Amino acid sequence: MSKLIIADNLETLTAHGNSRRRLLQASLGACALFAMPAANAANSPRIYEKRLSLLNLHTGERIRTAYWEQGKYIPEALQAIARVLRDHRSGERHPIDPGLLDLIQHLHHKTGSSKEFQVISGYRSPATNATLAAKSHGVAKKSLHMQGKAIDIRLPGVPLNALRRAAMSMRVGGVGYYPESNFIHVDTGNVRYW
Protein backbone atom coordinates (compact mmCIF):
# COMPACT_ATOMS: atom_id res chain seq x y z
CA MET A 1 0.00 0.00 0.00
CA SER A 2 2.77 2.48 0.96
CA LYS A 3 4.70 1.72 -2.23
CA LEU A 4 1.57 2.43 -4.29
CA ILE A 5 0.99 5.78 -2.58
CA ILE A 6 4.64 6.73 -3.02
CA ALA A 7 4.57 5.75 -6.69
CA ASP A 8 1.41 7.83 -7.24
CA ASN A 9 3.05 10.81 -5.52
CA LEU A 10 6.18 10.49 -7.67
CA GLU A 11 4.10 10.31 -10.86
CA THR A 12 2.14 13.38 -9.79
CA LEU A 13 5.32 15.30 -9.04
CA THR A 14 6.93 14.48 -12.38
CA ALA A 15 3.69 14.96 -14.34
CA HIS A 16 3.39 18.53 -13.09
CA GLY A 17 6.97 19.34 -14.03
CA ASN A 18 8.14 20.02 -10.48
CA SER A 19 11.83 20.40 -9.92
CA ARG A 20 14.26 17.63 -9.14
CA ARG A 21 14.48 19.07 -5.65
CA ARG A 22 10.81 18.27 -4.96
CA LEU A 23 11.26 14.81 -6.42
CA LEU A 24 14.28 14.26 -4.17
CA GLN A 25 12.37 15.50 -1.12
CA ALA A 26 9.52 13.09 -1.84
CA SER A 27 11.98 10.25 -2.31
CA LEU A 28 13.74 11.03 0.97
CA GLY A 29 10.40 11.19 2.75
CA ALA A 30 9.52 7.78 1.35
CA CYS A 31 12.86 6.39 2.53
CA ALA A 32 12.19 7.73 6.02
CA LEU A 33 8.97 5.72 6.18
CA PHE A 34 10.92 2.52 5.63
CA ALA A 35 13.82 3.41 7.91
CA MET A 36 11.92 3.78 11.19
CA PRO A 37 14.10 2.87 14.19
CA ALA A 38 13.61 -0.59 15.60
CA ALA A 39 12.98 0.92 19.03
CA ASN A 40 9.67 2.22 17.69
CA ALA A 41 8.47 -1.20 16.57
CA ALA A 42 5.27 -1.11 18.62
CA ASN A 43 3.19 -1.81 15.52
CA SER A 44 5.24 -4.80 14.40
CA PRO A 45 3.02 -7.86 13.99
CA ARG A 46 5.90 -10.17 14.94
CA ILE A 47 6.28 -8.78 18.46
CA TYR A 48 3.64 -10.09 20.84
CA GLU A 49 5.13 -8.93 24.11
CA LYS A 50 7.76 -6.51 25.38
CA ARG A 51 9.36 -7.20 28.75
CA LEU A 52 11.79 -5.37 31.01
CA SER A 53 13.80 -6.37 34.02
CA LEU A 54 15.14 -3.50 36.13
CA LEU A 55 16.92 -3.11 39.47
CA ASN A 56 17.00 0.33 41.09
CA LEU A 57 20.42 0.40 42.77
CA HIS A 58 19.38 3.13 45.23
CA THR A 59 16.21 1.52 46.57
CA GLY A 60 16.92 -2.16 45.89
CA GLU A 61 13.53 -2.47 44.17
CA ARG A 62 13.20 -4.79 41.20
CA ILE A 63 10.64 -5.14 38.50
CA ARG A 64 10.29 -7.88 35.91
CA THR A 65 7.24 -7.28 33.80
CA ALA A 66 5.66 -7.28 30.39
CA TYR A 67 4.77 -3.65 29.73
CA TRP A 68 3.34 -4.11 26.21
CA GLU A 69 1.18 -6.94 24.87
CA GLN A 70 -0.87 -7.48 21.73
CA GLY A 71 -0.18 -4.01 20.38
CA LYS A 72 -0.94 -2.09 23.58
CA TYR A 73 0.98 -0.68 26.51
CA ILE A 74 -0.21 -2.05 29.84
CA PRO A 75 -1.14 0.91 32.11
CA GLU A 76 -0.58 -1.02 35.37
CA ALA A 77 2.89 -2.11 34.22
CA LEU A 78 3.79 1.46 33.19
CA GLN A 79 2.74 2.70 36.65
CA ALA A 80 4.80 -0.03 38.36
CA ILE A 81 7.84 0.88 36.25
CA ALA A 82 7.37 4.58 37.11
CA ARG A 83 7.29 3.63 40.80
CA VAL A 84 10.62 1.76 40.54
CA LEU A 85 12.18 4.56 38.47
CA ARG A 86 10.94 7.35 40.75
CA ASP A 87 13.27 10.03 42.12
CA HIS A 88 14.85 8.09 45.00
CA ARG A 89 15.82 11.35 46.75
CA SER A 90 12.34 12.91 46.90
CA GLY A 91 10.05 9.95 46.21
CA GLU A 92 8.38 11.87 43.38
CA ARG A 93 7.03 9.84 40.48
CA HIS A 94 6.58 10.78 36.86
CA PRO A 95 5.32 8.79 33.86
CA ILE A 96 8.21 7.20 31.95
CA ASP A 97 8.22 7.71 28.21
CA PRO A 98 7.12 4.40 26.63
CA GLY A 99 9.60 5.15 23.83
CA LEU A 100 12.39 5.04 26.43
CA LEU A 101 11.16 1.66 27.62
CA ASP A 102 11.11 0.43 24.02
CA LEU A 103 14.62 1.75 23.53
CA ILE A 104 16.08 -0.09 26.52
CA GLN A 105 14.06 -3.22 25.75
CA HIS A 106 15.55 -3.23 22.26
CA LEU A 107 19.01 -2.51 23.71
CA HIS A 108 18.61 -5.51 26.02
CA HIS A 109 17.68 -7.71 23.07
CA LYS A 110 20.55 -6.32 20.99
CA THR A 111 23.12 -7.28 23.65
CA GLY A 112 21.75 -10.82 23.99
CA SER A 113 21.88 -10.49 27.77
CA SER A 114 19.47 -12.22 30.14
CA LYS A 115 20.51 -10.05 33.12
CA GLU A 116 18.49 -7.18 34.53
CA PHE A 117 19.43 -3.57 33.89
CA GLN A 118 20.92 -1.85 36.92
CA VAL A 119 19.43 1.64 37.14
CA ILE A 120 21.54 4.47 38.51
CA SER A 121 19.01 7.19 37.70
CA GLY A 122 15.55 7.20 36.18
CA TYR A 123 13.19 10.09 36.80
CA ARG A 124 14.64 13.14 38.57
CA SER A 125 12.46 15.91 39.95
CA PRO A 126 13.35 19.47 38.94
CA ALA A 127 14.54 20.17 42.52
CA THR A 128 16.80 17.11 42.56
CA ASN A 129 18.14 17.93 39.12
CA ALA A 130 18.92 21.51 40.14
CA THR A 131 20.80 20.29 43.23
CA LEU A 132 22.83 17.80 41.17
CA ALA A 133 23.52 20.37 38.41
CA ALA A 134 24.86 22.82 41.01
CA LYS A 135 27.34 20.17 42.24
CA SER A 136 28.42 18.73 38.89
CA HIS A 137 28.97 20.16 35.42
CA GLY A 138 27.98 16.72 34.04
CA VAL A 139 24.30 17.23 34.90
CA ALA A 140 22.25 19.15 32.33
CA LYS A 141 20.07 21.93 33.74
CA LYS A 142 17.27 20.91 31.36
CA SER A 143 17.85 17.17 31.73
CA LEU A 144 15.47 14.76 30.02
CA HIS A 145 15.44 12.81 33.30
CA MET A 146 12.95 15.47 34.49
CA GLN A 147 10.55 14.43 31.73
CA GLY A 148 10.86 10.67 32.22
CA LYS A 149 12.74 10.46 28.91
CA ALA A 150 16.21 9.46 30.16
CA ILE A 151 17.80 6.68 32.18
CA ASP A 152 21.32 5.91 33.43
CA ILE A 153 22.06 2.18 33.33
CA ARG A 154 24.57 -0.62 33.27
CA LEU A 155 24.07 -4.26 32.31
CA PRO A 156 26.03 -6.93 34.23
CA GLY A 157 28.04 -9.18 31.96
CA VAL A 158 28.07 -6.64 29.12
CA PRO A 159 31.17 -4.43 29.01
CA LEU A 160 30.20 -0.78 29.34
CA ASN A 161 31.81 0.16 26.02
CA ALA A 162 29.92 -2.66 24.27
CA LEU A 163 26.64 -1.42 25.80
CA ARG A 164 27.48 2.09 24.59
CA ARG A 165 28.25 0.87 21.06
CA ALA A 166 25.00 -1.12 20.95
CA ALA A 167 23.02 1.96 22.06
CA MET A 168 24.77 4.18 19.51
CA SER A 169 24.14 1.69 16.70
CA MET A 170 20.40 2.05 17.25
CA ARG A 171 20.57 5.78 16.36
CA VAL A 172 17.68 6.60 18.67
CA GLY A 173 18.11 9.50 21.09
CA GLY A 174 21.15 10.48 23.10
CA VAL A 175 23.88 8.22 24.43
CA GLY A 176 26.26 9.40 27.14
CA TYR A 177 29.30 7.40 28.27
CA TYR A 178 30.48 7.61 31.88
CA PRO A 179 33.17 4.93 32.33
CA GLU A 180 34.48 6.49 35.56
CA SER A 181 31.04 5.99 37.14
CA ASN A 182 30.34 2.73 35.26
CA PHE A 183 27.12 3.64 33.45
CA ILE A 184 25.72 4.89 30.18
CA HIS A 185 22.94 7.41 29.74
CA VAL A 186 20.27 6.85 27.08
CA ASP A 187 17.36 9.12 26.27
CA THR A 188 14.67 9.71 23.67
CA GLY A 189 15.79 13.22 22.74
CA ASN A 190 17.70 14.15 19.60
CA VAL A 191 20.35 11.71 18.35
CA ARG A 192 23.67 12.80 19.90
CA TYR A 193 26.65 11.24 21.67
CA TRP A 194 29.01 12.35 24.41
Side-chain angles (χ1 to χ4, degrees):
M1 180 85 177
S2 296
K3 289 181 182 178
L4 178 61
I5 293 169
I6 292 164
D8 287 346
N9 288 338
L10 291 176
E11 287 175 17
T12 302
L13 284 172
T14 55
H16 288 87
N18 286 325
S19 70
R20 281 195 270 173
R21 177 194 259 174
R22 296 276 315 260
L23 182 60
L24 180 60
Q25 287 172 337
S27 298
L28 290 174
C31 290
L33 288 174
F34 297 110
M36 296 299 286
N40 294 325
N43 296 323
S44 173
R46 291 173 280 162
I47 299 174
Y48 301 103
E49 179 181 77
K50 294 181 185 179
R51 301 186 66 76
L52 278 176
S53 184
L54 307 168
L55 166 63
N56 184 318
L57 293 176
H58 296 286
T59 65
E61 293 172 294
R62 284 186 158 91
I63 187 163
R64 290 183 177 97
T65 189
Y67 67 94
W68 183 93
E69 289 179 328
Q70 300 176 357
K72 296 179 184 174
Y73 290 101
I74 305 167
E76 299 81 12
L78 296 179
Q79 290 172 2
I81 290 169
R83 184 175 55 250
V84 171
L85 297 182
R86 72 187 177 277
D87 184 331
H88 70 273
R89 291 171 179 88
S90 70
E92 290 179 55
R93 294 183 196 172
H94 188 280
I96 303 301
D97 177 9
L100 180 65
L101 302 179
D102 290 345
L103 189 157
I104 61 174
Q105 188 270 341
H106 183 67
L107 181 58
H108 197 257
H109 175 74
K110 196 168 185 68
T111 64
S113 175
S114 60
K115 306 279 184 172
E116 64 192 354
F117 277 110
Q118 295 179 348
V119 178
I120 289 83
S121 183
Y123 170 70
R124 286 200 301 247
S125 69
T128 294
N129 198 75
T131 300
L132 294 173
K135 294 178 183 176
S136 170
H137 67 281
V139 175
K141 290 181 181 177
K142 294 184 179 182
S143 172
L144 291 174
H145 284 279
M146 296 186 297
Q147 298 173 39
K149 295 182 175 189
I151 191 167
D152 299 336
I153 52 174
R154 67 176 70 118
L155 188 55
V158 177
L160 195 63
N161 198 29
L163 187 61
R164 173 187 179 226
R165 282 192 312 270
M168 290 171 62
S169 75
M170 292 169 31
R171 298 195 179 281
V172 178
V175 179
Y177 183 53
Y178 299 91
E180 66 285 348
S181 301
N182 193 27
F183 71 85
I184 68 164
H185 164 104
V186 293
D187 65 49
T188 56
N190 295 327
V191 175
R192 66 212 187 284
Y193 311 117
W194 65 94

